[in-house]
Amino acid sequence: MMISFAALFSSVVLLQLSSGGVGPLDVLSGTVLGFSRQQIGLLGSAHFFGFFLGCWFAPRLLGSVGHIRAFAAFTAAGSIGLLAHMMVIDPYAWALMRVASGLCVAGCYTVVEAWLQAKVTNETRGRAMGTYRMMDMSGSLAAQMLIGFLAPASYVSYNLLAILCCAALLPITLSKTTQPETPRSPRLRPRLAYERSPLAVAGVIVAALSSASFRMVGPIYGQEVGLTAPQIAYFLGAFVVGGAIAQIPVGWLADTYDRRKVLIWLSVAAIASCGVTMGTAHLGVTGILLSSALFGLTTFPIFSVSAAHAHDFASSQERVELSAALMFWFAMGAIAAPYGASVLIDAYGPEALFVMLAVGHAALIVFGVARMRARPTTDRRTPFVFVPRTSFVVGRLFRRDRDKRIKDDVPPQADAD
């Protein structure tokens, strides 16, 4: 079983290296090739559109052909999208290729998480989930560092990412462990998330606004303030490091205090970090990197806090579908955010990125205060869980973690906040 987990985790790291590197590389390559900022932003939005399609389609393909064949099909789609970049130099063709990369990411994570869900036991769950989150975060950080070594608009750079995507096939296909039975895919009910917590829906949309804009359009900001390609890699990596550092202290706060207040104060801190980032743009590389880490620290945990707040009002039987519904709203925000951010940067300059993000967090503060006045919170609480934003089936992996503090499984009121 542990060998099987090692194979899955190796595939996750290789997949992250490939998919995490293509976004920043596309920004740098598009700039070299003369793409407009709006066209570069469209590439990020196209990736998340493909991600949404993959989350929707992957469980159905998994049920038709099985885990390994589905994983192979999705990695093939991602590799084709990467290899085709330098064959057709056109931003709209690249957008279609990024749809393929997003489809690959969502599909492969669906397979990995369905496999993990079938194999973990009560004895191995804690270690397996902790290692999975660590591997996912480490792969994401390493992917940002690749940008310092990949030449923009180069066959070699895109071929290297395609090789990493293909290499993700090797551990999972060479594993001798029998692939598990196909799981039942969760129904996608976006309205369920809004019924359980309108504030949680707003929180995950703002989390998508922050994360997708920064990771897909942030390199444009880095170029505008004078960062080199290796420095842009550190700029994006600092964001991931800040987000990782925040998980434990924010988790403690979310489990100790009213989660709506935690969300509000996180957004207050995020607005402050946007101001700091704009204010340090001319203070050198160190100031820019520290402000990036601060931005990650204040914005990265918002998705998990919002998810925990929504699950406070859900029954155990609803958790998987609620997680899928929250991922749906995250995907909707992530599709719109990169293109919108690029339009604003094109019209008003690089600072417009962080002005847009500050406005989004200000709206979350106002809505959070309104919801606190509309209804008190509940005493029935689930633990804060750092949840990777990977697929619609990720909720299956963390369902028991959320249920462990719930002694009675009484369905909540449908109109709860």
Side-chain angles (χ1 to χ4, degrees), residues 62-294:
L62 187 62
S64 300
V65 301
H67 292 69
I68 293 178
R69 288 180 179 177
F71 193 91
F74 286 119
T75 51
S79 299
I80 291 169
L82 290 167
L83 290 170
H85 267 71
M86 297 311 298
M87 298 175 66
V88 183
I89 308 300
D90 180 83
Y92 302 104
W94 280 27
L96 291 177
M97 299 170 198
R98 290 301 301 277
V99 170
S101 70
L103 187 74
C104 168
V105 170
C108 289
Y109 270 107
T110 297
V111 173
V112 168
E113 288 165 0
W115 195 312
L116 279 174
Q117 166 63 22
K119 293 296 183 180
V120 293
T121 63
N122 289 337
E123 291 74 21
T124 62
R125 179 176 296 273
R127 284 174 294 165
M129 293 305 96
T131 305
Y132 175 57
R133 284 177 290 211
M134 183 180 69
M135 291 295 101
D136 180 70
M137 187 71 74
S138 300
S140 178
L141 177 60
Q144 312 310 313
M145 297 298 103
L146 279 178
I147 302 306
F149 304 96
L150 299 177
S154 166
Y155 274 106
V156 174
S157 297
Y158 285 102
N159 285 358
L160 176 60
L161 294 181
I163 289 171
L164 290 171
C165 187
C166 292
L169 269 170
L170 298 178
I172 196 169
T173 54
L174 294 179
S175 173
K176 295 182 179 180
T177 305
T178 304
Q179 61 179 339
E181 295 182 2
T182 302
R184 181 179 63 85
S185 60
R187 287 188 300 163
L188 184 56
R189 294 194 291 157
R191 186 175 176 81
L192 175 64
Y194 185 82
E195 290 173 347
R196 291 295 166 261
S197 174
L199 180 58
V201 171
V204 298
I205 291 175
V206 171
L209 182 75
S210 300
S211 177
S213 296
F214 191 89
R215 298 182 73 167
M216 296 296 173
V217 186
I220 296 179
Y221 175 85
Q223 287 180 318
E224 292 289 337
V225 298
L227 297 182
T228 64
Q231 291 167 347
I232 289 175
Y234 291 122
F235 177 67
L236 297 173
F239 170 76
V240 177
V241 171
I245 293 173
Q247 297 305 322
I248 293 177
V250 171
W252 178 81
L253 290 171
D255 284 343
T256 306
Y257 301 101
D258 187 336
R259 284 170 179 162
R260 297 172 300 181
K261 293 181 179 179
V262 175
L263 277 176
I264 289 171
W265 282 107
L266 279 174
S267 283
V268 171
I271 293 172
S273 69
C274 288
V276 169
T277 302
M278 290 187 288
T280 57
H282 304 292
L283 296 182
V285 176
T286 302
I288 294 174
L289 296 184
L290 290 175
S291 67
S292 175
L294 177 63

